[in-house]
Amino acid sequence: MNKRNKKVSVGIVGVGHLGKHHVKHLAAMDNVECVGLYDIDEARATVISDKYNVKSYDSLEALLSDCDAVTIVTPTDTHFNVASDCLTAGKHVFIEKPITKSVAEAEQLLTLANTNEVLIQVGHIERLNPALVPLKNYSISPKYIEIQRLAPYDVRGTDVPVVLDKMIHDIDILLFLVNSEVESIDANGISILTDSIDIANARIRFKNGTIANLTSSRVAQDHVRKTKIFQQNLYITIDFLLGLTEIYRVLDPEEPDLDSIQDVQFHYGDKTKKIVYEKPDIPSFDALKAELNNFTNSVKGSATPIVDGQAGKNALELASNIHDLILEDLH
Ligand code: NAD
C-alpha cells in the first residue's frame, strides 16, 4: 500500500492534563490508528484508557513495539530520556514544548533523529493559532514587536522557569516572524512565588535592526497573550487568547481599501494619509488537532512539520540564553 494511504500507528506517552487531549484527538482521526497509551501513573492511565477506549500499555517498550510514531506529553525534565528511547527504537516523535530542558539534550535528540531517519516535531502550538492565519496576506518585516504573556499561577509548568514555560511560545513565534539572527539580548527577571524566575522581561535586538520586547509572568490575575507588530505603514495587533487580529495600514488617500471597516485621514507636513482599520475573518479550527494532523501527515510524507526539531531547538536556545542572562543579572 502507498505510504500516504496507510494509517499511521501512533502511541501517546504521558496522559496528564494535556496528554488526554492528544488521546481524544488521535483516537478520532481517520488517518490514524491510535494504538495505545503509556503513563507511569497506572491509575491515570486506566482512567484515560477507559474514557477514550484506547489500550493502556504497561511499559514504554511494549507501546513502541506496536507503533510507528509517538507523542510525548510528559513533564519537560523527562522529555530527553523518553524521546531518546523512542528515537533509538526508530519511531517518529512529537514532543510537547519545550523540546528538552537543555540545548545539549536537544542537540543529541536531533542527532538521534538524523541517525535513525525519523522526524521530530515540537508542540509550539501557538504557531497554529488561527489568529496568525491572516498574516500570510501581508508582507511582514517588523521594526518593533511588543509581546506580553501573563497567566495566573499554576503548579503545572513550574518544573521549568517562566522563560522556558511561557516566554518560549513567543520566542518561537518571534523567530518565525523575524528572519534575522539575534545581535544582543538584555534581560531581567524576578522570583515571586517559586525559587525559580516567575516574571521575565527580555529586549532582543536582531542583526537586521528589529527590536522585540517580551514580558512573561506566571504571577498575574488574568490571562493575557498579546503581540503587537509595528513596521513601516503597518501595525498588527494579535490577541492569541481571543483569536482576534486587527490591522491598521497607512495608505495614500486615493488608494483603495476594500477590506477596511473604518478609515481616518491624518496630516503631517504637507502630506495627507489615511489609516485603514481591518479586522480579518479568523478561521475556526482546533490548534491541537491541526498540530497532530500536521504530525501524522508529516510521518506519512504528505506534509512537513510546521515546527520541526530544529525550530524547537532554536527557540530553546534563545530562551536559555535569556534565562542565563537573567540569572547573571541577579548575581
Ligand atoms: P501533567 O503533569 O498534567 O501530565 C504529565 C503526565 O506524564 C502525568 O500523567 C505523569 O504521570 C506522566 N509521566 C511522567 N513521567 C513519565 C514517563 N517517564 N513516562 C510516561 N509518563 C510519564 O503535565 P502537562 O501539563 O500535561 O504537561 C506535559 C507537557 O506538555 C510538558 O512538557 C508541558 O510543558 C507541555 N505543555 C504544553 C502546552 C502547550 O501549550 N503546548 C500546554 C501545557 C503543557
Side-chain angles (χ1 to χ4, degrees), residues 190-203:
I190 47 173
S191 308
I192 300 282
L193 299 171
T194 71
D195 293 337
S196 170
I197 301 296
D198 297 314
I199 301 179
N201 174 260
R203 189 177 164 86

Side-chain angles (χ1 to χ4, degrees), residues 154-173:
D154 184 343
V155 69
R156 288 181 307 104
T158 52
D159 58 331
V160 289
V162 73
V163 178
L164 266 73
D165 183 33
K166 306 249 172 283
M167 192 182 279
I168 197 163
H169 281 290
D170 298 311
I171 290 171
D172 171 62
I173 289 175

Side-chain angles (χ1 to χ4, degrees), residues 221-238:
Q221 208 168 3
D222 300 304
H223 288 274
V224 175
R225 282 156 50 191
K226 288 186 177 167
T227 292
K228 295 172 181 175
I229 303 168
F230 299 84
Q231 65 184 61
Q232 193 67 48
N233 293 331
L234 184 64
Y235 166 43
I236 301 177
T237 152
I238 303 165

